[in-house]
Amino acid sequence: MSSHYIPHMKIPTLVFPTSAQASRHVALMIESLIRQNNSANRPTVLGLATGSTPVGLYRELIRLHREAGLDFSRVVTFNLDEYYPMAPDDDHSYHRWMHETFFKHVNIQPHNIHIPDGLTPTSEIEEYCSRYEQMIRRAGGIDLQILGIGRSGHIGFNEPGSMRHSRTRVVTLDPVTRRDAAADFFGEENVPHQAITMGVGTILEARKIVIMAFGEHKAAIVRRAVEEDVTDAVSASFLQKHHDTTFILDQAAAGHLTPIRRPWVMGSVRWTPALIRRAVIWLSLTVNKGLLKLSDDDFREHELYELLREHGPAHRIGRRVFDQMMQTICHDPGACTGTDHRDDLVSAALERSDTGHAEMTVDREKPKTAANSGPSTILVFSPHPDDDVISMGGTIIRMVELGHKVHIAYMTSGNIAVFDHDAWRFTDFVCSFNDLFHIDKEHSQAVKERVRHFLTTKKPGQPDSEDVLNIKKLIRETEARAGALAAGVPPEQLVFMDLRFYRTGTIAKAPIHPQDIQDIVNLFQRLQPHQIYVAGEMSDPHGTHRMCANAIFEAVRRVRAEGQRFEVWLYRGAWEEWEPHEIERVVPLSPADLERKKSAIFRHQSQKDKAMFPGGSDRREFWQRAEDRNRNTARLYDQLGLPEFYALEGFVQWRE
Ligand code: F6R
């Protein structure tokens, strides 16, 4: 699937299958602009943004510089914003971030770089801000402005309430924005309250604007910006008034747009089996009636008359989707097999039911036999050391109980998510333990002293020392062993991969290393699994899940090319859940299964207080979120008129 424009949006909106493809597209746009200007001997003036969104874009531009000789010597840049107050060499300054992430890797001239100065004295700030505007004008204005969008709808740091004609100024950050930045600053209390930002009016003067948004957590605000009317409650909506702005999205960020959520309200659609499923489930939940109770009027009153005409009457369509959903219920996940032709099978089922065999449900069942006859070998990949039990702990418990052999591969150490006080508590414990049993007192005291010194002098946000990183890694490893054991998986079936891309000791990650992929390939070859499970979450706060999933998919491609076959199932849970129409398999959990799953999650003590959704106000603990989610999926099945379960874990099969 390639990129496509979404029709009827108030800002032209282009959607790409992945954020990598989207970033590449924007990089190519910038490349062609720079090359054109360079050959006409003209400077190129770029407006630049920071944050997680443009990282892939900067990476791609660096690649174009290195591999395709893209020359930045005539490029002039103006950054949107900087925290205030903020020293340029501070770990958190946008100055530093821009240099580390982009400027130092290309041949841009230092005097062509402009970033608001976070050290400007308050008494001079007004004058400084108007000078910043003058500099933009003197450079000839911005040719191309790159923007991200905050979950508060901000562009730059123009928070809700910013005026259409606002100029560069000092602003107070929205609580949502400060919470979003909390992880980078190691705590919300360390996030500055103010920032210097270009105004909405300043941004709108750029000749061309590209605004990018990736990940499901941006989907709601993107929809408000491109579908609703212009309002100062969503600064990005002012871009509707600009003559050359494009919104660039990945699929997850486009997920709430009406043409994607409910395409049938926009006009005629092709009623594929997947779309029928989506529409009928939506209808059933909207009118609050089970699938088998839907009437022709329900379809007519909710803009689904076309579907009714093509595939009706209502009871027949409801029955089809009911049957499909029944087939998702799987009591022995180690033995159920999916199919790579789900939609074809469903189409065939639809045809058959159209010709009067609707009652022959047996005929339409997916094959339920295992590819192998005995117990299956299952390999669960857990990006962080607790995703396995948080997201699919119940399924792991069921599989072990049913005699399947479950291996778990922990992909990263997860050490940056451990609090300092925990690292200290464990250091203290080990020293006291060694004392008690007269074990090597001298060495452990020396380490304890080093750790104490480091932690007591550590500044907010300073990266950890090697000692502390290793201690934190150990804490998470032991918790993972305890959590897996609580779910029935013994230590010898666990692998701690410690993939290289994560070993930066900071929130920013390195690219996937070729050896990371090779390690996964080796694991496939050694374990010869029948099924693997992958975290299919594309919006985790720091992109670790996304990177792990992509590394696994690449490894799967390689072993498939050599003839190795196994099913790839995606789970979700730490941050997102599947939409009901997406679910292809649910595993029922009894109250006892769910209690056991929770007790496995409890083993991850260092992750208490860590469950806050990327910037959201959801402060429930992981075990609470897992419980609510699984019970909610069961409730959804109930609402659809399907069997009533206590809790369900949902899965989707990965296909290339
Ligand atoms: C950054 C900036 C902000 C970000 C926005 C999205 O210079 O001005 O508007 O673009 O907060 O941030 P991410 O990309 O981290 O989600």
Side-chain angles (χ1 to χ4, degrees), residues 71-301:
D71 177 12
F72 286 83
S73 62
R74 302 210 46 160
V75 172
V76 179
T77 64
F78 287 90
N79 263 77
L80 281 165
D81 41 23
E82 175 62 284
Y83 289 110
Y84 185 72
M86 180 62 70
D89 58 350
D90 191 287
D91 278 342
H92 301 300
S93 78
Y94 283 166
H95 265 85
R96 187 174 187 134
W97 192 92
M98 281 307 299
H99 279 89
E100 299 285 320
T101 313
F102 183 47
F103 294 144
K104 78 173 190 198
H105 306 283
V106 294
N107 66 330
I108 189 161
Q109 315 248 26
H111 64 266
N112 283 343
I113 297 173
H114 305 87
I115 305 175
D117 179 0
L119 282 186
T120 312
T122 324
S123 55
E124 292 166 27
I125 198 79
E126 242 178 77
E127 197 211 319
Y128 174 80
C129 290
S130 54
R131 262 212 321 274
Y132 199 71
E133 299 252 339
Q134 264 170 31
M135 286 192 286
I136 297 176
R137 275 194 292 273
R138 242 182 253 144
I142 289 172
D143 292 315
L144 173 61
Q145 173 67 55
I146 301 297
L147 297 175
I149 179 169
R151 290 185 329 109
S152 65
H154 69 213
I155 47 177
F157 275 137
N158 293 285
E159 299 291 15
S162 296
M163 316 272 268
R164 151 89 175 75
H165 297 289
S166 54
R167 312 302 308 185
T168 302
R169 69 204 184 287
V170 172
V171 292
T172 299
L173 297 178
D174 191 88
V176 171
T177 302
R178 293 190 64 243
R179 230 172 288 142
D180 277 353
D184 293 341
F185 282 83
F186 293 83
E188 201 175 314
E189 62 284 6
N190 302 321
V191 182
H193 287 265
Q194 291 189 304
I196 306 178
T197 182
M198 283 188 200
V200 176
T202 328
I203 292 170
L204 290 177
E205 277 166 13
R207 282 183 274 284
K208 190 178 183 68
I209 298 177
V210 167
I211 174 162
M212 303 191 288
F214 304 139
E216 194 169 287
H217 58 300
K218 296 286 174 73
I221 196 68
V222 166
R223 193 198 66 75
R224 290 184 65 192
V226 301
E227 287 194 16
E228 288 183 5
D229 289 340
V230 175
T231 161
D232 67 6
V234 180
S235 299
S237 69
F238 286 122
L239 298 170
Q240 293 178 20
K241 298 280 167 220
H242 188 265
H243 61 283
D244 189 359
T245 293
T246 310
F247 235 115
I248 304 274
L249 306 176
D250 67 354
Q251 273 188 66
H256 285 202
L257 300 179
T258 306
I260 292 194
R261 270 236 144 141
R262 290 185 294 132
W264 53 90
V265 304
M266 314 298 293
S268 256
V269 292
R270 199 168 69 81
W271 285 106
T272 62
L275 192 59
I276 295 175
R277 190 163 60 236
R278 183 173 194 143
V280 176
I281 289 176
W282 172 84
L283 180 65
S284 167
L285 296 175
T286 303
V287 300
N288 204 11
K289 279 187 189 175
L291 293 164
L292 297 181
K293 293 184 184 163
L294 292 172
S295 69
D296 286 4
D297 279 346
D298 293 327
F299 281 77
R300 280 191 212 105
E301 285 161 16

